[in-house]
Amino acid sequence: MSAPEPRLFGARVPRVEDDRLLKGQGRFVADLDFAGSLYAKFVRSDESSSDIFDFDVGKALACEKVRAVFTGDDFAGAEIRCVSAYEGFQTSSQPILATDRTRFAGEAVAMVVAEDEYAAEDAAEDVFFSVLPLEPVAGLDDALGDGREPVHAGWTGHAFVRRSMATGGFERVAGSAAHRVTIELRNARHGAIPMEGRACVARYDRGSGLFELWTTTQIPHLIRAGLADALGVAESRIRVISPDVGGGFGVKAQLYPEEVACCLAARELDRPVKWVEDRREHFFASHHSREHRHQVTGYFDDDGVLTALEADIAVDMGAYSVFPWTSTMDCGMAMGILPGPYRVQEYSVTGTAYCTNKAPYGAYRGVARPAACFSIERLIDRIAKHRGIDRAEVRRRNLIGPGDYPWHSPSGLVYDSGSLPESLDKVLEASGYDRLLADQALARAEGRLFGIGLAVFTEQTAHTTREFQQRGVPIVFGYETAKVRLDATGTAVVSASIHDHGQGLETTLAQIAADRLGLRLEDIRVEYGDTDQVAYGAGTFASRSAVLAGGAVVKAADAVGDTLRQVAAHRLEASPADIVIGQNRLSVSGSPGAFIETAELCRLVYQRPESLPRGVEPILEASRTYDADPGTGVYTNAAHLASVEVDPLTGKTIVLSYAIVEDCGPMINPTIVEGQIFGGVAQGIGTALFEEFVYDDEARLLTSTFSDYLIPTMTDIPDFAVDHLETPSPHTIGGLKGMGEGGAIAPGAAIASAIEDALSPVGDAVVAELPLTPERVLALLNRAQQQGDQR
Amino acid sequence: MEVNGRAVTTEVDGRMLLSDFLRGVIGLTGTHVGCEHGYCGSCTVLIDGASARSCLMLAAQANGSMVSTVEGLADGEQLSIVQQAFKSCHGLQCGFCTPGLLMAVSEMAAETASSPSRDLIREQLAGNLCRCTGYHQIVDAVEQALGSTSRGPR
């Protein structure tokens, strides 16, 4: 069977979802208005670690329009647990509402439900309880010491888990290396911060015992699985629907207590219960990310070739293990990907996921890879400095080359393909590197601090069964599902287990389906986000959706196409093998006059079953799964180049230019790919320069508005230069690789490199901490001056 | 008040926010609330032609005003020039901040000389946060809509 000619694959078609979003006709969870809805407001703890007791909800309950006030004991039967299979893992149990102990500032302790949001918010101020603050594990400094009680009773020490691994030759190679450098690196805790916060509406139908949860999630089926556990209800009694979602980036890829609480309240009160997070709650209680400390030692020869790598990784995972990832995700990812794009073969690493009295820690675009990229790229820059080699040249000497694939990394990953040296060379071109060097020379002659920075990375994407089996997670995220159904008018509905919250999958999956079914883009409707539509699937995260859902759509569409061919062959008195699908018709190869319109054929299948050949059922529908075998992931790579200017008086850094060359294999829609990259890079610039959740010594969060937690605005971000390489994966349908996260991985490293370069005429100051706020840059400038004075 | 050209007469609590009024009382949910403290710009509407944060304003303050929201931009199925430019240039991803941006750009279109520079566009729209796009393609869209580039239909 020959595949139809691709027509829409690779085309820069405008997105099909845009019209409704541009007209204000999107349907977001906060827009839903079910008859009889009640509105929830959560009362949250101001303290991190505290004993709470003597609840008094009488005054709140007496408020006008208030229908119920729940406290921890009301929901004591439910909890969120996510236990890793890793040996020695210490687990946590997250209550839906804290009962007698709070473990992070912002943890919900009571839920007020009223007839409107204003009444609920008013009454929330009338919930009283006594608080006895305890000495918290306020962060990694406390967790690394031994003076504090563990966050959870019965624990030994503060680690969820500690793991180590080393290659057999590490000691020998490291011991005999000509040179070594060690750096300590810090990445501040920050988060995804989508413009839409979280929200949910729960409905319970007493007659059928069915829960229906509308929620802002990237992972509807996994939320159903988590709810089934938390509620003690069969999955057949739960429907999770995630409609239009205003950005996710990982923070909406965990089960949250508020979702469980709204379900329980809806059942108790027999009314829909709606909750819309406010921005302050989002800062306090939506999951945080990115907080890593690494100590990294590189062993290398006279030519700057890295021969062995040693790392100690610590991640502050906050108070609870999150569903469905557990609290091991960031640490494990960092341990695995730290060697990055380099040919180093010997590796020794220890990684520890710590439990502290901060907000729980979940996924954020890139998951640990920004920190890993920061560490290895900073190390490579130090090696360049140590050996007096150009930063691009030292990378060329170490990068995995085109002949090295499949590359078996020393951490056990298998890189399938890539174009690392080519992407590096190409980014020098795309950035106008020679002109930048000229600009830099001019700036330095004027005494201005102008720097150029570089970062290269490879990213594991669309990893499935084999990879997640090794990660000790309770649910192995192995595949995605797609269902394709042709109707009697010859148009198709594609249902997918992934979710689209801005990535354009509604369009790219339609492009794929239209090509396979020989239809036009407008003949395809893509739906997602409803657990009743397809059997199972993990959802959208880990740069997997285009690869896995795309593959599943190809398989399902081809299965439907096979049925079409059989029926068409019967009608046209030809062999199914000779039937060609395309241009809204099925025709006999080599006989242009012998064809039947797809719409006509579909009508026959459904409405004239007597016209079907024997053995063919009157249904044009197929569900298929796709797991991108062998499941070890497909590797996207990119090189980023930034130029910056640092103001020596204020320490403020301005990003002057930013160039990206990326390789995600064949692109379904290059415009959408570029949008994903630009968005990721802007978030990475936030990581590099602005974003930080600041806690005080008692683990109380100090940054709770957009005036003290800064995300990049339009004037903070330059125009981008972008170019592509398209190295197909040998593993996947269409050679596709994932690319949703990549943009966010390298900016921290590239901008740190640029700032270090900018300061270099003053002196050598190792840039090893993000974000590079004006305060930190001034401290670096100070250090550079002292170093320069000694020189 | 008049909302998108239609008269609206009703009584509201003195403390009701304009954003809650538009979304909850008259069902215009295209105006989105992203931060409730005036920073993100998602809830931007036009009051008598001037942009305003509907989350920082009481509904009662708009008494007697002409309020324009995203729902009033398109002419039936036909997207406005600004909307079409956002679509052509991929100036939106999740679409949550988009209505506020469209209103801010509409104000800019009325007040700014044609063909603004990219720097001026960035300066004028810096009060609208977007977390998805990285802004580049939004600037492309505004350039196209305000006529400083001939790319695409106007």
Side-chain angles (χ1 to χ4, degrees), chain A residues 168-178 299-300 306-309 345-346:
Chain A
F170 173 78
E171 292 294 343
R172 178 178 50 78
V173 173
S176 61
Y299 301 85
F300 50 99
L306 188 66
T307 53
L309 178 66
Q345 307 223 19
E346 304 299 342

Side-chain angles (χ1 to χ4, degrees), chain A residues 650-675:
Chain A
T650 63
K652 183 177 163 67
T653 300
I654 297 187
V655 183
L656 299 170
S657 69
Y658 204 100
I660 309 108
V661 170
E662 67 77 45
D663 185 345
C664 66
M667 292 181 283
I668 305 166
N669 186 325
T671 303
I672 288 177
V673 169
E674 286 160 9

Side-chain angles (χ1 to χ4, degrees), chain A residues 471-482:
Chain A
R471 292 201 191 171
V473 282
I475 298 173
V476 169
F477 315 110
Y479 57 90
E480 289 304 320
T481 306

Side-chain angles (χ1 to χ4, degrees), chain A residues 292-358:
Chain A
H292 283 234
R293 278 190 202 175
H294 298 176
Q295 181 178 295
V296 180
T297 302
Y299 301 85
F300 50 99
D301 66 16
D302 292 343
D303 296 328
V305 172
L306 188 66
T307 53
L309 178 66
E310 188 174 10
D312 187 4
I313 292 165
V315 188
D316 179 345
M317 296 301 294
Y320 297 106
S321 179
V322 301
F323 182 92
W325 316 115
T326 79
S327 52
T328 66
M329 171 178 58
D330 254 64
C331 196
M333 177 70 88
M335 292 169 74
I337 202 67
L338 194 77
Y342 300 112
R343 223 191 277 111
V344 59
Q345 307 223 19
E346 304 299 342
Y347 181 43
S348 173
V349 61
T350 297
T352 313
Y354 287 102
C355 183
T356 69
N357 287 111
K358 291 185 184 171

Side-chain angles (χ1 to χ4, degrees), chain A residues 686-704:
Chain A
T687 296
L689 296 177
F690 306 116
E691 298 185 42
E692 182 170 10
F693 290 128
V694 179
Y695 279 90
D696 71 8
D697 292 343
E698 306 301 318
R700 285 178 293 233
L701 186 66
L702 303 177
T703 42
S704 61

Side-chain angles (χ1 to χ4, degrees), chain B residues 2-154:
Chain B
E2 201 180 290
V3 181
N4 299 330
R6 287 177 55 183
V8 177
T9 306
T10 183
E11 266 191 29
V12 296
D13 278 355
R15 67 172 179 166
M16 174 166 280
L17 297 172
L18 179 59
S19 53
D20 287 340
F21 174 76
L22 292 171
R23 292 174 49 78
V25 177
I26 61 173
L28 295 179
T29 54
T31 298
H32 297 151
V33 179
C35 74
E36 318 91 28
H37 57 280
Y39 263 84
C40 79
S42 291
C43 68
T44 303
V45 298
L46 302 185
I47 308 288
D48 298 322
S51 63
R53 307 288 210 229
S54 61
C55 78
L56 288 187
M57 191 169 165
L58 299 171
Q61 288 176 288
N63 189 30
S65 300
M66 293 205 315
V67 180
S68 309
T69 73
V70 68
E71 286 90 347
L73 291 179
D75 182 6
E77 288 302 297
Q78 185 65 43
L79 296 177
S80 73
I81 289 169
V82 176
Q83 287 170 315
Q84 184 58 48
F86 269 67
K87 182 177 178 178
S88 305
C89 299
H90 192 27
L92 68 156
Q93 289 184 24
C94 78
F96 192 83
C97 74
T98 309
L101 263 163
L102 292 173
M103 300 320 291
V105 175
S106 298
E107 181 189 42
M108 198 180 159
E111 292 190 347
T112 310
S114 64
S115 306
S117 68
R118 292 179 75 87
D119 282 348
L120 181 66
I121 293 169
R122 286 180 183 276
E123 212 170 283
Q124 294 225 349
L125 298 176
N128 286 73
L129 299 179
C130 168
R131 193 60 158 170
C132 289
T133 62
Y135 301 114
H136 184 112
Q137 290 155 317
I138 293 176
V139 180
D140 289 348
V142 178
E143 253 191 323
Q144 182 179 111
L146 303 194
S148 49
T149 163
S150 56
R151 198 149 38 107
R154 280 209 61 195

